[in-house]
Amino acid sequence: MAAEIVNPRSDSNTGQDGGAEPLDSFDPAFALHRGGKMAVQATVPIRDKDDLSLAYTPGVAKVCSAIAEQPDLVHDYTWKSSVVAVVTDGTAVLGLGDIGPEASLPVMEGKAILFKQFGGVDAVPLALACTDVDEIIETVVRLAPSFGGVNLEDISAPRCFEIERRLQERLDIPVFHDDQHGTAVVTLAALRNAARLSGRSIGDLRAVISGAGAAGVAIAKMLVEAGIGDVAVADRKGVVSADRDDLTSVKREVAGFTNKAGLSGSLEGALAGADVFIGVSGGTVAESAVASMAEGAFVFAMANPTPEVHPEVAHKYAAVVATGRSDFPNQINNVLAFPGIFAGALQVRASRITEGMKIAAAEALASVVGDDLAADYVIPSPFDERVAPAVTAAVAAAARAEGVARR
């Protein structure tokens, strides 16, 4: 069976109290979401008793017995190798924060249809009624036999780091926290093209990241892996540096592989002379701090709905400006990455998603822009039909090269 992108709306138009006007009457978002955004559809017909005997008993028993004898056959004779679990606990949903599993479900449904629309990958939203790290891990491990991969979504930091790490240790299918790695992949792709536009390489750049949560940490790791000249990460208290005594274990790790310049103090101070600002934190950066950046700087202010630096301000000082919003050029959007990454991993039955696969995805995404590169076009649109095939092929090839592919 496969998740089909349909909207099976209810015939009911009554409000919750049975008499009030439904929310649909006032807001088109509610009208679109009525009945949910997805459904399940059979991929084989059941027209008569012969079809029924093949799809279900007795024919299905042959397939079950074969899988019991050769477990790897589950990939060939079930949906396992083409479906992803989209798992959340509802603790860090978009810009809404800890709103719980039920309220997170519209977002998880949305994620599932993006998988299908942009990567041809079926996905099932799973909103869990638990927030304990051990409980989440045990729940996902027990559900894993039904899926070819796990996309962790909207789980608050720092718990998300441990959950992802421990799940990948216990499972032999890809586990991918999109808030971390999807954001990092798209950011690296845009940064590569911005550097190319200015005649520089990643190694020529010093970056400052505002935000030491899931996205900020992952971006820092990926930029270091990609060979950035230097990168410093700042949280609410300033630059994450080894001389601070208030760091979590994750931030201590970050301090160990970033900030070669030994910066300390405020984010604004770190921006003086910096080539790149990457915002994944919310808040506001003073215009004077942006003005202090190096000539030809890049400003990627990705907080939604309000960027850390408004594009009108950023354009006064920066050569390239990107945001997380669809109404400005250069949108850093995770949908450019995760559908193709999972499609490539599933295609080769990868056991995990490696750093090399993520960097390959970023390079493929950057290459789609090609000769059309411009200050207002350093990253392609999610609707560019070249994106998913390019990322899928690059990830599959990288999985084979790194020895994690099983076909």
Side-chain angles (χ1 to χ4, degrees), residues 161-192:
F161 302 112
E162 181 181 358
I163 290 169
E164 183 190 42
R165 176 182 58 78
R166 288 173 57 187
L167 280 174
Q168 190 62 83
E169 288 172 355
R170 294 185 60 178
L171 300 177
D172 66 347
I173 58 175
V175 179
F176 184 84
H177 185 212
D178 187 50
D179 301 324
Q180 294 182 58
H181 311 302
T183 305
V185 165
V186 183
T187 301
L188 175 58
L191 189 57
R192 281 194 181 281

Side-chain angles (χ1 to χ4, degrees), residues 35-331:
K37 299 190 294 287
M38 58 185 294
V40 173
Q41 173 182 288
T43 60
V44 296
I46 303 180
R47 298 160 299 196
D48 51 38
K49 64 184 181 68
D50 291 332
D51 288 343
L52 182 60
S53 69
L54 289 173
Y56 202 55
T57 185
V60 72
K62 297 178 181 178
V63 181
C64 293
S65 297
I67 294 171
E69 293 178 7
Q70 301 180 58
D72 282 350
L73 292 178
V74 68
H75 297 283
D76 298 310
Y77 295 105
T78 72
W79 76 345
K80 181 179 174 73
S81 64
S82 61
V83 68
V84 170
V86 180
V87 179
T88 190
D89 64 356
T91 55
V93 181
L94 295 179
L96 303 174
D98 186 356
I99 59 175
E102 289 86 359
S104 75
L105 197 52
V107 177
M108 300 311 116
E109 287 184 3
K111 199 77 174 190
I113 65 173
L114 295 179
F115 265 109
K116 187 66 172 177
Q117 179 71 32
F118 294 103
V121 174
D122 291 310
V124 177
L126 299 174
L128 306 183
C130 60
T131 58
D132 178 78
V133 168
D134 291 334
E135 288 184 3
I136 292 171
I137 291 167
E138 291 304 321
T139 301
V140 175
V141 167
R142 283 162 172 73
L143 290 167
S146 295
F147 299 100
V150 175
N151 184 89
L152 300 173
E153 190 75 20
D154 293 348
I155 298 173
S156 64
R159 298 154 55 252
C160 59
F161 302 112
E162 181 181 358
I163 290 169
E164 183 190 42
R165 176 182 58 78
R166 288 173 57 187
L167 280 174
Q168 190 62 83
E169 288 172 355
R170 294 185 60 178
L171 300 177
D172 66 347
I173 58 175
V175 179
F176 184 84
H177 185 212
D178 187 50
D179 301 324
Q180 294 182 58
H181 311 302
T183 305
V185 165
V186 183
T187 301
L188 175 58
L191 189 57
R192 281 194 181 281
N193 275 340
R196 180 163 69 93
L197 182 67
S198 65
R200 290 178 285 177
S201 70
I202 290 285
D204 299 324
L205 304 176
R206 178 171 75 83
V208 177
I209 299 172
S210 175
V217 171
I219 292 169
K221 287 182 177 179
M222 185 162 286
L223 293 185
V224 169
E225 187 76 19
I228 188 105
D230 195 11
V231 57
V233 179
D235 62 11
R236 290 182 180 87
K237 297 182 179 180
V239 174
V240 175
S241 56
D243 61 351
R244 282 176 50 180
D245 60 6
D246 61 345
L247 300 180
T248 64
S249 59
V250 171
K251 291 179 184 179
R252 282 198 298 273
E253 179 188 357
V254 170
F257 66 81
T258 62
N259 195 17
K260 290 188 293 187
L263 301 174
S264 60
S266 69
L267 165 71
E268 288 77 10
L271 281 175
D275 302 293
V276 185
F277 168 75
I278 297 172
V280 284
S281 66
T284 302
V285 175
E287 181 173 345
S288 58
V290 181
S292 74
M293 295 178 68
E295 184 177 354
F298 313 140
V299 171
F300 292 3
M302 300 187 290
N304 266 316
T306 305
E308 294 89 350
V309 183
H310 193 279
E312 289 182 3
V313 173
H315 278 297
K316 294 181 184 180
Y317 311 102
V320 176
V321 177
T323 72
R325 289 173 43 157
S326 60
D327 54 345
F328 292 110
N330 296 326
Q331 183 189 19

Side-chain angles (χ1 to χ4, degrees), residues 148 164-165 167-176 341 345 348-355 357 395 399 402-406:
E164 183 190 42
R165 176 182 58 78
L167 280 174
Q168 190 62 83
E169 288 172 355
R170 294 185 60 178
L171 300 177
D172 66 347
I173 58 175
V175 179
F176 184 84
I341 288 172
V348 297
R349 294 183 190 166
S351 59
R352 61 189 301 111
I353 293 171
T354 65
E355 290 301 313
M357 292 162 71
V395 169
E402 299 209 338
V404 296
R406 290 177 288 197

Side-chain angles (χ1 to χ4, degrees), residues 369-396:
V369 170
D371 295 336
D372 295 323
L373 180 64
D376 62 355
Y377 185 57
V378 297
I379 199 74
S381 163
F383 296 99
D384 188 323
E385 294 181 353
R386 300 172 295 171
V387 167
V391 173
T392 299
V395 169

